[in-house]
Each structure stands twice: as C-alpha cells, then as structure tokens.
Amino acid sequence: MTMTTTTDHVEHLDEAECWHRLLGAQVGRLAFDGRHAVSIVPLNYVVRGHSLLFRTVSDADLLTPQRRPVAFEIDGWSSRTAWSVVAQGDLNPDPDPDVLAREAEIGLAPWAPDDRGPRSTVVELVVRTVSGRSFPRHPRSDVPWYW
C-alpha cells in the first residue's frame, strides 16, 4: 500500500489503493443531480476494470441525460483509522446486453426489494478520477467532541 502523507493527520491514498478498497467493498453511495436537489442513494455494486456496475429501475431519475456526471463514495474503518474513497465519472446505461445473463457470476443481484419494479437496467459508472484519504480515528485533544 502506497500512501502520501500530506499532514500529520491525513494521508491521501494513491490510485491503486483506492481501487483496492473499491474492490473490497460491496456497498456505496451514488450522488447525482436530482430533480430538485442533489440525491444520494445507497447501492451494491461490482468492479469491472476501471468501472463500477450496478442495477436500477429503467425509469430511474439518475438516467436522464443531463444528469450523467456522478460521484460514488465508500468508506470504512478499523480500530485505528477511518478512510473514504470517492470515484467520479459518467454513467453509461446498459453497457453490455449479456451482463444480466451473467449477474450471478459477477454478483450483481440487487440486495433491496423491488419496491419500484425490477431493477433490470444495468448501469456502468465509467470512472474518470478516484481519490481517497485515511486518518486516525482517535480524537484530537484540540478539537471539541461535538465538532
């Protein structure tokens, strides 16, 4: 793992480490420009190359053309550190017509119930940039606990 320290408290993760953490997670949050405000939705995903794949309903708000640029975030922690990775890119609906036939192979089955109908649209987030940071979990003495 290669990380570049930028301060005494925060380390910026390099691209390889960011992808390693994306590969190790299963759930994240997708942020996009919604109809009336920024929307953030949790979803399960898989990594394919330098893209993230997930499923949604065919009329999902995030699929409208003017809402293509998005951000995707995962985070985690251990007893000593906390970390966050953000991937930014563009959405590509239905990148591969055969992907639904192989969903069990790649683990792309949706976790949540189909409350709005079947999640039959596979969407690819083509990642343009990825960044991450890690920092100690122990509170600093110079920062109030409620900050």
Side-chain angles (χ1 to χ4, degrees):
M1 168 177 22
T2 304
M3 292 188 268
T4 304
T5 303
T6 58
T7 70
D8 291 338
H9 302 288
V10 177
E11 295 179 281
H12 290 269
L13 306 176
D14 66 14
E15 184 177 355
E17 181 62 20
C18 289
W19 280 106
H20 174 75
R21 294 182 189 218
L22 283 164
L23 279 163
Q26 297 178 33
V27 176
R29 288 162 295 285
L30 183 73
F32 60 96
D33 186 7
R35 289 187 180 146
H36 304 291
V38 173
S39 294
I40 302 173
V41 295
L43 52 85
N44 63 300
Y45 69 98
V46 295
V47 175
R48 178 190 281 171
H50 279 180
S51 293
L52 307 177
L53 297 175
F54 62 92
R55 292 177 58 176
T56 189
V57 294
S58 61
D59 65 345
D61 188 34
L62 63 95
L63 296 177
T64 59
Q66 63 271 35
R67 294 186 175 92
R68 295 269 187 233
V70 299
F72 183 81
E73 189 265 346
I74 62 169
D75 52 31
W77 58 91
S78 69
S79 61
R80 295 182 184 190
T81 62
W83 57 268
S84 177
V85 171
V86 175
Q88 297 180 2
D90 301 297
L91 295 180
N92 176 23
D94 289 320
D96 181 349
D98 297 325
V99 77
L100 287 177
R102 296 190 316 268
E103 77 174 46
E105 176 188 330
I106 63 173
L108 195 53
W111 289 6
D114 293 339
D115 58 340
R116 291 188 48 217
R119 289 180 177 84
S120 57
T121 300
V122 175
V123 179
E124 176 184 31
L125 167 50
V126 180
V127 177
R128 283 185 277 116
T129 64
V130 65
S131 61
R133 62 189 193 128
S134 177
F135 46 89
R137 280 192 61 196
H138 305 293
R140 295 177 15 204
S141 61
D142 61 330
V143 178
W145 66 270
Y146 54 85
W147 182 76

